[in-house]
């Protein structure tokens, strides 16, 4: 048995093992050795006690200043109060019972580590019943301790203090043997990386900072290389699966569609289109991520791919994240197809197919017809939300799955859809308008091939964005509504977006979480979290159901308003969208349901209320709804956030650039990385501990190249069992969430 697989129960005994498991989910010696120190304390260094915050679980280094014991009135118990200091600030430690023994230990002048939860009692910072360890105490640890200049400080918990963990780590390190290195020898030489066992010793028991640097560099490579090797294997495995080839057929729907297009494709669209056409024709499933700004023309690419599959005898399914978007896709795809999509109707083309829409809340008759069309194959294109994935939906021959705005779909849902293709895997095209930074694409989406549309179709007008500080400059807000009226008088339209629906949804501040697949503000956590630091408690976010009547009877009186949000029945949603799309409504007051994909070229203004409650990328998505026709777009970010606040900085950043990649990066920097990497990363066992998708771009790129080559030369890693087993434990931990992105 390799040393890193040994159970902690064997290595440390049941009690210690149980504590480490309960506190951090650590089960093997390998798990423990990958519980890295959070930082290192210099010998003699004291913690800045003034920096402690109530409620935090902390480990402080301090010196005992004074000790005093007093008898409590209740039940004659004794209370020991020990005051410790960093030389300036003081902290009181309170202990009940066992006072005489502890009193002797905690003599003034002694240095120690004290761990516990910070609280304030009668204006005095304290740790009640802290765990502690005196430094230089005459026990067995003394020699090792004196030798170490740097004391590792571990992420600790009430069940396991940092010195508990340190002691366990030492026991494991002392008996560590037979560690197989997952990094191939030539790779280690090429990048001058130390061996795994040395790195583990170096990170836990460094003699100096150079030790730590060498160890961290090596261990980051571990994380990057093992992950990239896993992804490379995954790509290979997917590429080896059979899929029905869907080669282009001349003179079919696809050609007829191209001939009907009222514009010519951009160079980017043509190039991506070619790659997709080639992959659909191959006998292995396509697995492609297509990213491009809103309005960059992804939908047209998807439709061309669908038609190629239909020409080859198959069907295509399009999954949208919301009913509104599914409905809109159905409308715009039907429009694009014209007579090509009206099989069975008067005036349809001979070769025509049919577009079916399936949503959770449509009427029984419409639903039955759509189900029949999907099952018989009469519908070449089947569009829907997650309702498409219920077991009642059957396809005659599902050849292509297009997933729009992929981040809104769960893993299980994607798997379920794959199973609909019975036997052979369908080709999969994932589309996203949220730009994905390169490093994230290489890690989180590392098993997909990616294409990016970088240019917008010609004739797009720029969008001007301004921040409207509603509290500081109320006349700006008045001016905002005037601008909306002006546009409406010119025959144009406007969106007003609020973070919340209203009335009884106060319990769910995220807004649209109504179970119908509607998204809430995707970045709400990040956004409100960032804002809270600046402002503390605030009023609830503005709501559609409050704002619509207030605007109708106030600044927008006489303007034709419609309301749209996720709790409306689907026919009302559809009616509202239609009214706005055909111009019979001037202003749409809505939640973020308009975020993705909604396309009304005549809309020129977007007012976002409480804009600070949204994430940066989300604001960018929202403003992409305007400026889609010939007229320039205007986006007004209304906020009550103070001028000097992080929230305002974020809004200023959105106003300052139209570069979605730059904003995505900003978003990434402002979130915890765990949020970026998904749910599995938020769990207790994180596979990326040292590696940062923000700062280790170069390393990730190198590891990807190296791993791809390595796996190509030895697909099963038969010659390198240590790497195979490292991948095994990575996959064991994170199987579904982390790697199964599409
Ligand atoms: P996305 O899905 O990337 O947001 P769409 O495919 O919906 O973008 O395209 C947005 C609008 O631009 C649609 O009205 C579409 O018909 C139009 N469009 C797409 N490609 C082009 C092009 N090459 N030239 C002009 N207009 C285009
Ligand atoms: Mg779109």
């Amino acid at each position: 048995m390799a040393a890193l697989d040994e159970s902690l129960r064997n290595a440390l005994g049941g009690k210690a093992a149980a504590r480490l498991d309960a506190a951090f989910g650590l089960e093997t010696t390998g798990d423990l050795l990958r519980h890295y120190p959070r930082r290192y304390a210099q010998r003699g260094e004291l913690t800045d006690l003034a920096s402690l915050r109530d409620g935090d679980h902390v480990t402080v280094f301090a010196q005992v200043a004074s000790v005093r014991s007093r008898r409590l009135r209740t039940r004659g118990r004794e209370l020991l109060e020990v005051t410790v200091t960093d030389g300036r600030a003081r902290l009181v430690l309170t202990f009940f019972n066992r006072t005489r023994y502890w009193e002797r230990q905690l003599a003034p002048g002694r240095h120690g580590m004290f761990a516990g939860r910070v609280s304030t009692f009668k204006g005095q910072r304290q740790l009640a019943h802290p765990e502690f360890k005196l430094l230089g105490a005459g026990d067995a640890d003394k020699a090792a301790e004196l030798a170490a200049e740097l004391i590792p400080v571990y992420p600790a918990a009430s069940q396991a203090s940092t010195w508990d963990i340190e002691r366990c780590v030492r026991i494991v390190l002392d008996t560590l043997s037979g560690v197989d290195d997952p990094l191939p020898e030539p790779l280690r030489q090429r990048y001058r990386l130390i061996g795994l066992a040395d790195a583990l010793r170096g990170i836990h028991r460094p003699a100096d900072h150079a030790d730590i640097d060498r160890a961290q560099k090596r261990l980051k490579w571990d994380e990057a290389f093992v992950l990239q090797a896993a992804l490379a294997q995954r790509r290979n495995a997917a590429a080896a699966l059979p899929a029905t080839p869907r080669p282009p057929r001349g003179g079919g729907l696809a050609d007829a569609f191209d001939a009907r297009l009222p514009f010519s494709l951009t160079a980017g669209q043509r190039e991506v289109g070619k790659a997709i056409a080639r992959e659909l024709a191959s006998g292995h499933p396509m697995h492609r991520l297509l990213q491009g700004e809103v309005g960059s023309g992804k939908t047209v690419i998807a439709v061309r791919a669908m038609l190629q599959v239909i020409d080859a005898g198959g069907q295509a399914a399009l999954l949208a994240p919301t009913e509104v978007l599914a409905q809109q896709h159905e409308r715009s795809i039907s429009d694009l197809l014209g007579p090509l999509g009206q099989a069975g109707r008067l005036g349809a083309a001979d070769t025509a197919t049919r577009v079916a829409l399936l949503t959770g809340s449509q009427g029984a008759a419409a639903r039955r017809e759509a189900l029949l069309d999907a099952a018989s194959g009469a519908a070449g294109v089947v569009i829907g939300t997650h309702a498409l994935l219920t077991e009642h939906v059957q396809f005659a021959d599902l050849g292509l799955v297009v997933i729009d705005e992929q981040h809104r779909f769960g893993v299980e849902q994607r798997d379920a859809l794959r199973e609909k293709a019975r036997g052979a895997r369908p080709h999969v095209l994932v589309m996203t308008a949220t730009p994905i930074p390169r490093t994230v694409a290489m890690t989180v989406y590392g098993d997909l091939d990616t294409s990016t549309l970088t240019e917008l179709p010609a004739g797009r007008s720029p969008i001007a964005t301004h921040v409207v500080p509603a509290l500081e400059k109320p006349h700006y807000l008045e001016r905002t509504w005037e601008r909306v009226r002006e546009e409406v008088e010119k025959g144009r339209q406007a969106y007003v977006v609020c973070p919340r629906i209203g009335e009884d949804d106060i319990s769910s501040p995220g807004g649209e979480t109504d179970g119908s697949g509607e998204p809430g503000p995707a970045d709400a956590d990040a956004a409100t979290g960032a804002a809270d630091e600046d402002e503390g408690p605030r009023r609830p976010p503005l709501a559609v159901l409050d704002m619509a009547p207030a605007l109708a009877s106030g600044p927008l009186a006489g303007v034709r308003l419609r309301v749209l949000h996720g709790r409306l029945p689907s026919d009302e949603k559809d009616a509202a969208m239609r009214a706005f799309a055909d111009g019979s409504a001037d202003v749409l007051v809505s939640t973020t349901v308009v975020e993705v994909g909604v396309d009304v070229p005549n809309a020129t203004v977007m007012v976002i209320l409480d804009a600070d409650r949204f994430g940066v990328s989300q604001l960018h998505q929202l403003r992409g709804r305007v400026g889609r026709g010939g007229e320039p777009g205007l986006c007004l970010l209304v906020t009550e956030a103070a001028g000097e606040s992080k929230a305002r900085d974020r809004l200023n950043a959105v106003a300052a650039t139209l570069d979605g990649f730059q904003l995505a990066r900003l978003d990434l920097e402002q979130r915890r990385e765990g949020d970026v990497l998904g749910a599995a990363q938020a769990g207790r066992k994180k596979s990326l501990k040292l590696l940062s998708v923000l700062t280790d771009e170069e390393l990730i790129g190198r590891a990807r190249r190296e791993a791809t080559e390595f796996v190509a030369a030895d697909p099963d890693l038969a010659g390198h069992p240590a790497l195979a087993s490292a991948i095994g434990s990575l996959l064991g931990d994170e199987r579904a969430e982390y790697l199964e992105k599409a």
Side-chain angles (χ1 to χ4, degrees):
M1 185 190 283
L4 295 177
D5 300 351
E6 195 178 332
S7 82
L8 286 175
R9 178 170 297 279
N10 281 347
L12 301 171
K15 260 194 190 160
R19 281 206 310 277
L20 291 171
D21 192 5
F24 306 107
L26 307 176
E27 289 167 4
T28 64
T29 50
D31 291 345
L32 176 61
L33 293 181
R34 290 208 157 77
H35 186 78
Y36 302 131
R38 182 177 19 225
R39 62 186 183 90
Y40 301 86
Q42 199 79 39
R43 170 153 294 280
E45 166 192 315
L46 299 177
T47 306
D48 177 9
L49 296 179
S51 70
L52 301 182
R53 289 186 314 186
D54 272 9
D56 286 355
H57 188 280
V58 297
T59 302
V60 302
F61 288 73
Q63 183 175 26
V64 178
S66 64
V67 183
R68 157 176 109 96
S69 78
R70 60 193 169 94
R71 189 162 295 278
L72 291 176
R73 257 177 247 151
T74 48
R75 277 179 260 140
R77 284 206 296 172
E78 256 189 307
L79 174 70
L80 182 67
E81 279 183 348
V82 177
T83 304
V84 297
T85 175
D86 60 3
R88 293 177 303 273
R90 289 169 173 251
L91 177 71
V92 173
L93 318 175
T94 54
F95 300 93
F96 296 99
N97 306 327
R98 294 184 59 199
T99 56
R100 224 149 303 147
Y101 169 71
W102 289 14
E103 207 170 338
R104 264 203 310 281
Q105 293 274 301
L106 291 158
R110 296 289 297 275
H111 281 82
M113 289 189 268
F114 307 91
R117 201 165 294 284
V118 182
S119 59
T120 301
F121 185 68
K122 292 188 179 161
Q124 173 66 60
R125 280 286 156 75
Q126 68 166 23
L127 301 180
H129 323 288
E131 301 286 321
F132 68 93
K133 181 184 173 185
L134 293 167
L135 298 174
D139 56 26
D141 297 341
K142 191 171 177 183
E145 207 174 77
L146 285 176
E149 272 302 303
L150 293 168
I151 302 170
V153 181
Y154 289 92
S158 54
Q159 303 100 319
S161 63
T162 179
W163 52 90
D164 271 341
I165 298 168
E166 188 187 350
R167 187 182 54 85
C168 294
V169 166
R170 185 176 317 126
I171 293 170
V172 170
L173 279 180
D174 283 349
T175 57
L176 194 65
S177 67
V179 176
D180 293 327
D181 202 318
L183 293 188
E185 178 67 35
L187 179 100
R188 280 193 345 242
Q189 280 174 7
R190 201 153 41 243
Y191 296 98
R192 299 162 186 266
L193 304 174
I194 60 175
L196 178 56
D198 288 342
L200 291 171
R201 288 200 180 88
I203 201 157
H204 289 289
R205 305 201 61 75
D208 52 27
H209 285 283
D211 267 358
I212 300 173
D213 292 345
R214 270 192 297 271
Q216 284 184 341
K217 178 179 171 199
R218 147 72 213 214
L219 294 169
K220 273 187 187 181
W221 260 95
D222 252 24
E223 291 176 7
F225 188 78
V226 172
L227 173 60
Q228 292 301 336
L231 291 168
Q233 278 193 316
R234 216 183 144 71
R235 285 194 302 273
N236 288 355
L241 292 170
T244 309
R246 313 282 181 177
R249 183 167 62 81
L253 284 170
D255 284 354
F257 177 79
D258 282 353
R260 282 185 39 97
L261 267 183
F263 44 76
S264 52
L265 297 174
T266 64
Q269 282 174 318
R270 273 199 299 275
E271 193 182 314
V272 176
K274 263 191 218 148
I276 291 174
R278 205 168 40 237
E279 288 171 346
L280 292 175
S282 89
H284 302 289
M286 173 175 78
H287 229 124
R288 186 164 285 277
L289 173 69
L290 173 58
Q291 45 177 340
E293 295 271 332
V294 271
S296 59
K298 299 183 294 296
T299 308
V300 174
I301 293 180
V303 170
R304 294 177 79 238
M306 293 181 191
L307 294 177
Q308 177 174 333
V309 168
I310 297 167
D311 281 340
Q315 289 167 289
L318 171 61
L319 265 66
T322 66
E323 291 205 354
V324 169
L325 285 175
Q327 284 159 356
Q328 184 186 291
H329 270 307
E330 192 251 346
R331 270 197 303 279
S332 62
I333 289 176
S334 295
D335 285 352
L336 276 171
L337 290 173
L340 303 177
Q342 297 176 340
R345 281 200 232 153
L346 213 59
D350 295 343
T351 49
T353 184
R354 214 179 288 167
V355 178
L357 175 70
L358 264 167
T359 57
S361 49
Q362 72 194 147
R367 184 173 173 76
R368 202 171 317 117
E369 193 185 328
L371 284 170
L372 268 175
D373 281 355
S376 68
V381 179
V382 182
I383 300 174
T385 60
H386 60 287
L388 258 192
L389 306 180
T390 62
E391 29 192 300
H392 308 298
V393 185
Q394 301 291 336
F395 292 86
D397 181 7
L398 181 59
L400 170 66
V401 177
V402 178
I403 302 176
D404 191 13
E405 305 303 341
Q406 156 293 328
H407 57 285
R408 298 272 163 82
F409 276 94
V411 173
E412 309 76 20
Q413 293 170 323
R414 290 193 285 267
D415 283 350
L417 193 62
R418 264 189 202 142
E419 278 160 23
K420 297 267 172 211
R422 283 177 256 149
R425 293 280 186 115
H427 300 280
V428 176
L429 177 65
V430 176
M431 302 194 291
T432 177
T434 309
I436 299 171
R438 205 172 81 91
T439 46
V440 177
M442 282 191 298
T443 48
V444 180
Y445 301 95
D447 56 339
L448 302 183
D449 298 305
T450 46
S451 308
T452 306
L453 288 176
T454 48
E455 64 188 315
L456 292 183
R460 284 295 153 71
S461 313
I463 303 166
T465 306
H466 301 287
V467 178
V468 178
L471 289 183
E472 292 148 58
K473 308 212 164 122
H475 59 284
Y476 280 27
L477 185 58
E478 283 162 34
R479 181 75 193 116
T480 296
W481 301 123
E482 257 173 59
R483 285 290 288 122
V484 171
R485 299 189 70 102
E486 285 165 17
E487 288 298 305
V488 169
E489 274 153 29
K490 284 189 243 166
R492 312 220 177 91
Q493 291 163 284
Y495 296 96
V496 176
V497 177
C498 306
R500 199 161 63 83
I501 301 175
E503 283 174 11
D504 52 347
D505 67 346
I506 295 171
S507 58
S508 63
E512 304 236 345
T513 42
D514 55 352
S516 71
E518 296 297 353
D523 307 334
D525 287 347
T528 51
D532 281 346
E533 283 168 31
D534 293 324
E535 276 125 74
R538 297 178 295 172
R539 62 161 169 75
L542 293 173
V544 170
L545 297 179
D546 301 331
M547 284 313 294
L551 290 172
S553 61
L556 297 183
V559 168
R560 294 170 304 170
L561 292 182
R562 289 295 290 244
V563 161
L564 177 67
H565 59 75
R567 275 209 324 264
L568 288 177
S570 82
D571 52 338
E572 286 180 36
K573 275 185 223 168
D574 199 34
M577 260 328 290
R578 260 181 218 280
F580 193 64
D582 71 19
S584 59
D586 302 314
V587 172
L588 190 67
V589 183
S590 79
T591 53
T592 53
V593 289
V594 298
E595 182 184 349
V596 274
V598 172
D599 189 13
V600 178
N602 191 46
T604 47
V605 184
M606 166 155 296
V607 179
I608 304 177
L609 297 174
D610 277 344
D612 49 290
R613 313 270 182 147
F614 298 93
V616 162
S617 290
Q618 199 175 21
L619 293 170
H620 181 62
Q621 298 269 339
L622 280 167
R623 73 177 157 184
R625 306 293 111 229
V626 294
R628 294 172 75 98
E631 298 299 323
L634 175 65
C635 174
L636 298 169
L637 306 174
V638 179
T639 179
E640 294 186 358
E644 298 289 314
S645 64
K646 280 189 203 153
R648 279 285 282 281
D649 289 348
R650 290 187 301 127
L651 298 183
N652 290 337
V654 174
T657 181
L658 287 171
D659 181 341
F661 275 91
Q662 197 180 321
L663 292 172
R665 203 172 163 84
L666 184 72
D667 228 6
L668 195 61
E669 282 163 16
Q670 295 191 338
R671 298 194 209 185
R672 285 174 302 122
E673 228 157 80
D675 301 336
V676 178
L677 293 177
Q681 282 289 296
R684 291 196 295 182
K685 286 192 196 176
K686 298 180 184 175
S687 70
L688 301 191
K689 290 171 175 163
L690 298 170
L691 194 69
S692 159
V693 293
L694 283 178
T695 54
D696 292 319
E697 180 162 354
E698 196 178 301
L699 196 164
I700 293 172
R702 279 184 186 154
R704 182 172 179 82
R705 279 194 303 280
E706 294 280 354
T708 305
E709 257 176 53
F710 196 81
V711 170
D714 182 3
D716 302 325
L717 302 175
H720 210 75
L723 178 56
S725 99
I727 291 173
S729 59
L730 173 72
L731 296 182
D733 286 354
E734 329 228 318
R735 198 161 20 237
E737 296 277 2
Y738 191 55
L739 291 170
E740 308 236 338
K741 280 292 169 185

